Amino acid sequence: MAYWLLKSEPDVFGWDHLLAKGAEAEEWSGIRNYQARNFLRAMAVGDRAFFYHSNIGKAIVGVARITRTAAPDSTNPTWDAVMVQADFALNRPVTLEECRQHPELVGMVLVKNPRLSVQPVTDAEWQVITRLGGIV
DNA sequence: GCCAACGTTGGC
DNA sequence: GCCAACGTTGGC
């Protein structure tokens, strides 16, 4: 199983919105960047993804699960989208600032390239962040 | 194929 | 609201 990080602007589509969908999956559409698209295509059903809030909060707030591999984006079929479902909330948000400060997280893509909207997360980074945030 | 110009993103 | 960083576009 691979780990990922998905960015969202909470005032557009936030973690609460995904949580509210419960067992219903949401199409992760709107990705218009080749690097991000390639990561979407590398996703497998069952992979986990951190849910990151940019602009407001600037923190990892929850864990989502990939429920469908990449397929044409319904809003623009020349691009791809996966389906995601809320999995667990974190006990507390793990902020970008914390990732910057943490010696094991300074190499994160989130820290090095915060603009990339779909990112890979290493096993080690995943363990550190879930330990920091705590799984509910 | 290079690179300058432009647009977008996101942290501050 | 500003600006730095990055990606994309288009002229050459």
Side-chain angles (χ1 to χ4, degrees):
Chain A
M1 176 173 62
Y3 298 117
W4 308 96
L5 183 145
L6 298 172
K7 274 188 344 194
S8 83
E9 296 179 49
D11 47 343
V12 179
F13 186 92
W15 172 249
D16 289 343
H17 198 159
L18 191 64
L19 265 187
K21 304 216 92 182
E24 197 187 335
E26 173 80 11
E27 183 188 31
W28 202 251
S29 57
I31 301 301
R32 301 290 185 265
N33 170 284
Y34 292 107
Q35 223 184 330
R37 188 197 63 185
N38 290 342
F39 289 132
L40 284 182
R41 289 180 173 177
M43 290 179 178
V45 171
D47 282 359
R48 302 291 172 83
F50 283 132
F51 199 97
Y52 176 78
H53 279 170
S54 63
N55 296 319
I56 303 167
K58 279 167 284 179
I60 295 161
V61 292
V63 173
R65 182 198 307 263
I66 309 302
T67 63
R68 192 205 67 196
T69 52
D73 185 331
S74 68
T75 66
N76 181 343
T78 65
W79 292 91
D80 286 7
V82 295
M83 298 288 282
V84 297
Q85 182 189 322
D87 199 359
F88 303 103
L90 295 182
N91 267 329
R92 67 169 187 86
V94 177
T95 64
L96 175 61
E97 185 56 28
E98 259 182 293
C99 295
R100 279 223 177 81
Q101 306 285 332
H102 199 291
E104 291 183 72
L105 300 178
V106 289
M108 276 188 82
V109 180
L110 183 66
V111 173
K112 291 170 141 181
N113 182 10
R115 296 184 57 193
L116 186 61
S117 52
V118 180
Q119 315 179 353
V121 172
T122 68
D123 287 12
E125 290 160 357
W126 187 271
Q127 301 304 328
V128 170
I129 291 164
T130 50
R131 200 179 309 126
L132 286 173
I135 297 289
V136 176

